[in-house]
Structures are given as structure tokens and as C-alpha cells.
Amino acid sequence: MAEPDTFIAAICSSPADDVPRLAYADWCEERGESDRANFIRKQIRLARLPQGVAETRELYQQCADLLRAHAPAWVEPICKPFEQLTNWQPKRISNVGLGLTLGYPISAIEFVRGFIEQMTFSPRSGADYAPLGAICQRQPITRLALRSPADPGPDLNGISNAFVSIQALTFQNAQSTSAIGRLFDSFSWRNVKRLALFSVENEVIASICRQPLARQLTGLKLAGDSSAFAELTRFPLDDRMQELVVLRSGEALSIPHLCGVSFRPTLKTLVLSELRLGDNGMSALARGDVWLRLRTLVLDRNRFGDPGWSDWVRGRRTPELRALSAKQNYLTDRGAMRLAESPLSQTLEWIDLRGNRIGRKGALTLARALVEGPLKLLYLQGNPLTDSDTQAVRSILGDRVDRN
């Protein structure tokens, strides 16, 4: 095996390990490819930095400049098998990743720690899966999104293990149950732990529930209409499922349907953002089943105010909850005081109430209730608080109030 292939094989076999990546960077440096080496080292350094460090912005810009200068050459090997032009547009993905929007069939990629970690791909026919699999064996791709996935067909040319590195799989606009079934039958997805479903037919969800993959998932993301959740009642009950993210769909989420999913008792994280729950939805959530293991709950931008919030915080349905986010709703002083009066004030470690309508009275009441508890950080940005109000809260909680 050629020397670069040895490095690539080590990187792909241990995608979480920085050591083979840095060894490859040294090899690039010795060959005169100093920009490629610097890009790898700088992205690894960026990934290791804690959020908020001053060095982050400058380092990110340096990585972006390197990618901008060399993107055509670095991307050409993955575009060539599909005769795809290497036209590209840079796109910021996060504080760590750098993305490129490419076109078709490779829609987008993301560089993390020097290599392509994520790809969005639109298979035009079954023939596209073989070169796609070869790319996944040459890059440490752990996240793969398939748009309108085509049926892979019967001739797989020995590539059934081409996607064993994939840990997070996304289906977008998947309409054919037979194509999805053949994808699962044709390839090994044994390392997939997280699955996301965007604009898929409910029959596809039902098909996935019957696949062996369903028993290995720890995270699921999907649109929140009631018919989709009705299909999840067939999901195999297993203790592995820990996170559910519900996306906005054409209709408001039905709380009874949410509480009816088979894996609800095992969840540790539940994200319900932009679902228009309103006060009635929050009250229904308060009357619903107990979420015994839930430790993180996100309720951002759901258009509820103090009445529904008050019902929920009094409901005691989440005895293990440690992190709570309710950004950009309609909570006022009353809502803050109801949280202060609830048992949650003595168990929560992270609270995010940014973008509500909480004033001085509510903020101070909440701060006094939290001061003796396990609170690590309280976010109050975007509420009608003056500098004097914020200082008064900090005089109680100190650095446990956000300073951004």
C-alpha cells in the first residue's frame, strides 16, 4: 500500500483520533504541501478550543482563507467520478466546521479537523453508490445526507461495507419505500446511531421501524405531524434511544401523539422548537406521562406564555431534568416567579430564558430561588432588563449569569 493510503486508512478507521491526522499533516509538510498541512493542524486546534476563546475567530478565518485558496484542488478528487464541476461557494457551518456548497450530485460538504466529515448527496441512479462508497472510504465521513435516494439496484460490485463509517444518516425527500428498503438491505449501516428524516413519506418511517437499524439508534430527528408520530408507535422498544428532536411541520404537534411514542420512557433529551405549542400544548404536556429519564428539554419559540408555562412547571413530570431552554416565548415576571416556586429551581443546572419578557422583579425572584441550588448558568439576554437590573441579578448569582 502506498504511503498516503496508509495514512488515509488510519484516519478513516479512527475518525475521532487526531494522531493519524497530524501524522498525515507532517507527511504533507515533507512533500512541500505546507498549506494542506497547516489547514489540518489549524482545524484540529480550532476543534480543541473551548467556545468563547478569543483565538477562535482569528483561527477560523485562517482556515477559511486556506480553504478558499485551495478548494478546487482539494475537492476535485471527489467531484471527478461524477463529472461534476468543482464550482463552489463557502459556507460557515459552525464555530469549527467549514462548508462548501458544490452543486449536483454532491450538494454540500463540511471540513472538520482537516478532512471531509459530512456530505450531502443526491444519487441519480444506483450506479452512483459505488463511487460514493469509494469516497467514504477515502475520507473520514461520519455524517451522510441522501436527498431523493435512488434505488441502488441489484449490482453492488462488492461495496456492501462501503458505508460502515457513517454514524449519522439523513434522508431528505425520501418517497419510495422500496428504495429505502433496498438501501438497508444492500449496505451495512451498523455504526449509524443517529437518524434524521426530512420530508419523507410516512410509509418510509414505518419501513424504517421494521429495520434492524431501529434497534441501534440513540437519536432521532423528524417532522412533528401527528401521522408521523402514529408510525412511531411501531418503533421497537429499546433502552438505546436517548434523544428525540421534533421539527416543525405543516400542523401543530399533538402532545398525546408525542407521549405515545414507544421509546418515550428512555429519552434523556427532547427538543421541541418552533412547534407552536402555545399555552394549550404546554398544559397538555403537564398532564401527560412522566418523563422519568429526561435531563434536557428544549422548548424554544413555541408561542406560549405564563398560563401554560405555570401548568408545566407545577406538573413535576420531569424529575431528572437538569437543562431547560425556553427561549423566545412570551414569559413575563409571573412565569419567572412560577419557575422559582417550583421544585425545578432546586434541580436545574442550566436555564435559558433569553428573548422573553421577564423584568427586574421576575429575574430577582428567580435568582434568589436558584442561588442555593446546583445552577451553573442562567441566560437572560433579550429580556427587558436594564444594566442595573442585570447587575442586581449578578450580585446574587455572580458568574452563574451569562455575560454576553
Side-chain angles (χ1 to χ4, degrees):
M1 181 182 289
E3 194 171 13
D5 291 337
T6 304
F7 287 117
I8 295 300
I11 292 167
C12 292
S13 64
S14 302
D17 190 356
D18 288 335
V19 173
R21 296 174 188 243
L22 291 171
Y24 183 75
D26 293 341
W27 182 82
C28 289
E29 188 80 54
E30 293 171 359
R31 288 175 51 85
E33 300 176 18
S34 58
D35 282 354
R36 182 74 179 106
N38 284 333
F39 181 73
I40 297 169
R41 292 167 184 155
K42 288 178 183 295
Q43 273 215 310
I44 289 175
R45 169 66 178 161
L46 187 62
R48 291 176 175 178
L49 287 175
Q51 290 188 359
V53 175
E55 182 186 353
T56 300
R57 180 175 296 182
E58 180 181 356
L59 196 56
Y60 189 95
Q61 188 58 53
Q62 292 172 1
C63 291
D65 291 342
L66 286 168
L67 183 59
R68 187 175 292 108
H70 297 281
W74 293 350
V75 171
E76 192 271 342
I78 69 169
C79 293
K80 187 175 181 180
F82 307 104
E83 299 181 348
Q84 178 176 341
L85 296 177
T86 56
N87 294 335
W88 57 275
Q89 295 179 355
K91 180 180 180 181
R92 182 167 185 154
I93 303 296
S94 65
N95 289 330
V96 176
L98 278 165
L100 295 178
T101 300
L102 296 176
Y104 185 80
I106 302 175
S107 304
I109 57 176
E110 180 182 355
F111 283 87
V112 177
R113 293 159 51 233
F115 295 83
I116 299 172
E117 182 178 281
Q118 186 272 342
M119 176 180 288
T120 302
F121 187 81
S122 302
R124 299 162 297 188
S125 69
D128 279 344
Y129 288 103
L132 174 62
I135 292 171
C136 290
Q137 293 175 324
R138 296 284 302 173
Q139 291 283 341
I141 296 174
T142 58
R143 293 177 289 145
L144 177 65
L146 295 176
R147 288 181 174 173
S148 304
D151 192 317
D155 186 12
L156 300 177
N157 298 319
I159 61 167
S160 60
N161 289 318
F163 304 113
V164 293
S165 65
I166 304 302
Q167 300 172 15
L169 178 63
T170 298
F171 290 125
Q172 300 178 8
N173 301 316
Q175 311 298 325
S176 171
T177 302
S178 61
I180 295 297
R182 196 183 291 270
L183 272 171
F184 284 118
D185 292 340
S186 302
F187 304 111
S188 172
W189 305 97
R190 63 175 179 266
N191 289 312
V192 171
K193 303 300 180 187
R194 306 173 71 84
L195 179 67
L197 306 172
F198 299 124
S199 302
V200 303
E201 293 292 332
N202 290 331
E203 290 79 5
V204 171
I205 298 176
S207 174
I208 291 173
C209 289
R210 296 190 293 269
Q211 297 293 333
L213 172 79
R215 293 189 177 276
Q216 68 192 47
L217 294 177
T218 62
L220 179 65
K221 181 187 295 187
L222 80 165
D225 65 49
S226 299
S227 57
F229 274 86
E231 298 296 342
L232 292 183
T233 59
R234 310 177 188 181
F235 207 92
L237 185 59
D238 197 295
D239 285 345
R240 291 185 179 87
M241 186 68 76
Q242 298 182 12
E243 179 179 356
L244 175 64
V245 178
V246 184
L247 308 170
R248 182 174 178 175
S249 66
E251 62 176 83
L253 174 67
S254 167
I255 297 300
H257 278 93
L258 171 65
C259 294
V261 299
S262 60
F263 51 78
R264 177 197 57 77
T266 73
L267 292 177
K268 294 183 179 180
T269 298
L270 178 63
V271 179
L272 307 173
S273 296
E274 300 185 77
L275 295 177
R276 306 185 298 277
L277 292 179
D279 286 325
N280 290 336
M282 291 297 292
S283 296
L285 194 61
R287 296 191 299 270
D289 294 333
V290 176
W291 302 73
L292 287 175
R293 299 187 186 180
L294 201 65
R295 297 183 67 84
T296 299
L297 177 62
V298 178
L299 298 165
D300 300 342
R301 298 178 294 279
N302 269 300
R303 302 182 183 179
F304 59 80
D306 297 331
W309 174 258
S310 298
D311 287 345
W312 181 77
V313 297
R314 288 196 300 258
R316 301 188 183 185
R317 299 293 177 180
T318 53
E320 297 297 321
L321 197 66
R322 296 296 179 267
L324 173 63
S325 181
K327 293 187 295 187
Q328 299 180 33
N329 288 295
Y330 307 137
L331 301 179
T332 68
D333 287 347
R334 179 187 169 194
M337 290 188 287
R338 292 296 175 269
L339 178 58
E341 296 165 358
S342 78
L344 289 171
S345 65
Q346 301 306 306
T347 59
L348 287 173
E349 298 176 4
W350 305 86
I351 306 174
D352 194 341
L353 298 175
R354 286 177 285 186
N356 282 281
R357 302 172 181 178
I358 300 169
R360 180 184 181 91
K361 182 179 180 181
L364 289 175
T365 302
L366 183 58
R368 295 186 188 106
L370 295 171
V371 68
E372 299 297 334
L375 181 75
K376 294 180 180 177
L377 198 56
L378 169 66
Y379 292 94
L380 289 173
Q381 275 183 285
N383 284 282
L385 297 168
T386 66
D387 290 342
S388 175
D389 297 336
T390 303
Q391 188 59 42
V393 173
R394 286 182 181 149
S395 69
I396 299 172
L397 292 176
D399 290 338
R400 292 187 288 172
V401 178
D402 70 298
R403 294 181 176 273
N404 296 326

